[in-house]
Amino acid sequence: MAPRKLSLAGPATLRDVARVAGVHPGTVSRALNPQTRGLVNERTARRVLEAAEELGYRPNPIARGLRTNRSHTIGVLVPDLMNPLFAAVVRGIEDGLREAGYTPLIANTDNDATRERVAYEAMSARQVDGFIAATAVRDHWLLADQVGAGAKVVLVNRRVDSDAIPAVTGNDHEGIRLAVEHLAKLGHRRIAHVAGSQALYTGWSRHRGFLDAMRARRLEVDPGLVVFSDAFNEREGARCCGELLDRRRDFTAIVAGNDLLALGCYDALEERALRCPEGVSVVGYNDMPFVERFRPPLTTVRVPHYELGATAAALMLEQLRSREAPPRQLELAPELVIRGSTAPVADTGDRATTRTAGKGPAGQRRTEGESGTAGETRTARAGKADRNTASLDTLQ
Amino acid sequence: MAPRKLSLAGPATLRDVARVAGVHPGTVSRALNPQTRGLVNERTARRVLEAAEELGYRPNPIARGLRTNRSHTIGVLVPDLMNPLFAAVVRGIEDGLREAGYTPLIANTDNDATRERVAYEAMSARQVDGFIAATAVRDHWLLADQVGAGAKVVLVNRRVDSDAIPAVTGNDHEGIRLAVEHLAKLGHRRIAHVAGSQALYTGWSRHRGFLDAMRARRLEVDPGLVVFSDAFNEREGARCCGELLDRRRDFTAIVAGNDLLALGCYDALEERALRCPEGVSVVGYNDMPFVERFRPPLTTVRVPHYELGATAAALMLEQLRSREAPPRQLELAPELVIRGSTAPVADTGDRATTRTAGKGPAGQRRTEGESGTAGETRTARAGKADRNTASLDTLQ
DNA sequence: AGCGCGACTGCAAACGTGTGCATAATCCGT
DNA sequence: ACGGATTATGCACACGTTTGCAGTCGCGCT
């Protein structure tokens, strides 16, 4: 009759609830789990729920995890949170998982294989229920090793040839097509490409997209006008663009593999006293925060990174719910955002019309030669700007 | 004699190791824990270690946590990861915790009280060993409620009047002093302040710092030249600066509560056809990534956010190791980074010398009137730039 | 020889849940 | 009224570790 233990300290446990409800702990477990509630009499179930409420009972995920081998936790492998792009992806993942009661466990890998491995080991030791890998290295041990062994994996921002692995990416093919199309409409014929590292999926796929888009427009792709960077940063962008300029100067526009490479192009152009967009037009990729405030404001392709993360979370939940959910591979649509770094190709002398880089407060500017889609993308742009400031709204 | 279970599937457990080493699981536990290894014979300890190595044994943190009520996990409450500032703090925290074997569990709160509460509950249910709170709301339930009950809490980017809680912040007082000093040396006398929200610690302390610094320089603080924003974003910055300009135009410089507010000032100035820095000098705060590429490149106060996070992690480890470690409160030194948004006060007409906003590739520029500390900060700046590109180096 | 002591290791009980199995209670049909 | 089916609950073990307690063994000392 005397309770085995008072459990004065610490949060209420199943046994505590059982005691006040006057039933066995096992019954409490069944009553509280919606899955098994049908097994228990409705009246006693209500009694148990009341007791749990009264005691402020919260199930202990640790103990539950020990018993069930599930942690309601998803490991998220990301190269670097300080890259705003991945911050957005992670934010999307977190919000997408939350409603289902899952929590992300985040680790930065710096694209380093051993750090990746260590993080993976640590996470699977913690019994994560699955992995969302935002690391974009094209060839990856995770896929070969672990997926076959039943590990749930969802890729974001990269995909793999086999259809076996769910993945969600931006449609790079379409994005680059928009960029090339835009430049072509402005009269550009000789277009260069500063490509990202071909070891990363995004660099590789955007390069392929460039070739296809040029071909579709019946534009020549001069191999001398394509140069590959080693990393997605400004230094490499400057190096590649400089190399391009040292070879020849007959191109009028550059499609960069991402915004940082485009910024590097700015630097290389300025160093050689060339002006953008009067001398050379530049298009970036990603639409990072604040690129609209650069000099000149950068025309770029917006990738919905937050939504990328959110749908990756959705795909993961799909995999977790049903054993045999088909591994879907999704592509999200990009948008072209036209700003001040692209202009009609110079008519040998008449540069007056394209001189200043915009009058509006944020330097937003619509290129004159554009007719059809420009208005559309411009409004889309405005929406994005609101989202950006809202996200930075929180503090500091 | 027959083993109770083969444990064919799944990772090796303590019992498996015990079986091949020919000892009791308890002994294995003691042998593998460096703390208790002294209790076991050296020879058998070696045998156990070999067996563990052979089987690839990895301790199960879930089971351990259930027994010890410790998870080797630290809850990190942050307003928004998409704010690069907090991304850096979180990165510092993660790196600081890793070497000690701790893992951060990150949640975004959006500075929303209920989301904060939910995240806190979820985390403490998961048995986190402590909390690092980067949320800067000045008055906070966490402190009153939970700390007294023995919860380990470390504050980052904010502090509290009582000395009871360890905290690490940037030295806002000193940072603002550097900014005011810089402007005063350039000849500015009438300096305005676009302050951050006074509900947040950083906004409040920088405002106080502004008052002190002005007084120390024997400069009048005109209440009409101080305006308070509701949030740290560009829209609010533009609103406040506009309000300032509508009131009067006799000030020559603005100290903004952070970089985003400073950007808002850019917008308001441009809207009224005023030029920066020729018409009005602007100083920001934080040195966000890419502010050196804005138009004009922003003079600002660098806060070492990564180090903020790293030392917060160190303080947390201190608290965890010893029961009675004194709760230290640290302040990290800021640096002034001089760029193109500040110039000597105009001598009514002679503006030619301060016309263009810089020649260098990154718009880096040293103000002429500066003599002493400028060179110093400039080199410090360069170091920061390297760190920045390195962090964005990883991908995309 | 007997006693005590230190060094080492086995034993078993937890930690809080989930769940197969057994059992008790109720109901229904003939 | 009784056997079987259905329902509701108790019982006990398992998940993998940690840890207090007790037991074993060897050794030195009187």
Side-chain angles (χ1 to χ4, degrees), chain B residues 304-362:
Chain B
H305 292 112
Y306 178 89
E307 291 77 9
L308 234 50
T311 57
L315 286 186
M316 174 55 77
L317 293 175
E318 239 176 65
Q319 293 291 312
L320 291 177
R321 287 197 222 283
S322 83
R323 187 94 211 133
E324 290 308 329
R328 298 196 289 154
Q329 308 212 12
L330 303 180
E331 274 189 331
L332 267 44
E335 293 176 78
L336 181 66
V337 183
I338 299 171
R339 297 201 187 90
S341 66
T342 49
V345 62
D347 308 329
T348 58
D350 176 23
R351 298 184 174 181
T353 58
T354 57
R355 183 28 97 22
T356 61
K359 291 289 228 179

Side-chain angles (χ1 to χ4, degrees), chain A residues 89 93 132-134 153-160 165-171 201-202 303-316 328-333:
Chain A
V89 171
I93 291 175
I132 297 180
V153 174
V154 169
L155 302 177
V156 58
N157 216 27
R158 67 156 304 208
R159 68 180 58 226
V160 72
I165 302 174
V168 48
T169 61
N171 188 336
Y201 176 79
T202 45
V303 176
H305 292 111
Y306 179 88
E307 290 78 7
L308 235 50
T311 56
L315 286 186
M316 173 57 76
R328 297 196 290 154
Q329 308 212 13
L330 303 180
E331 273 190 330
L332 267 46

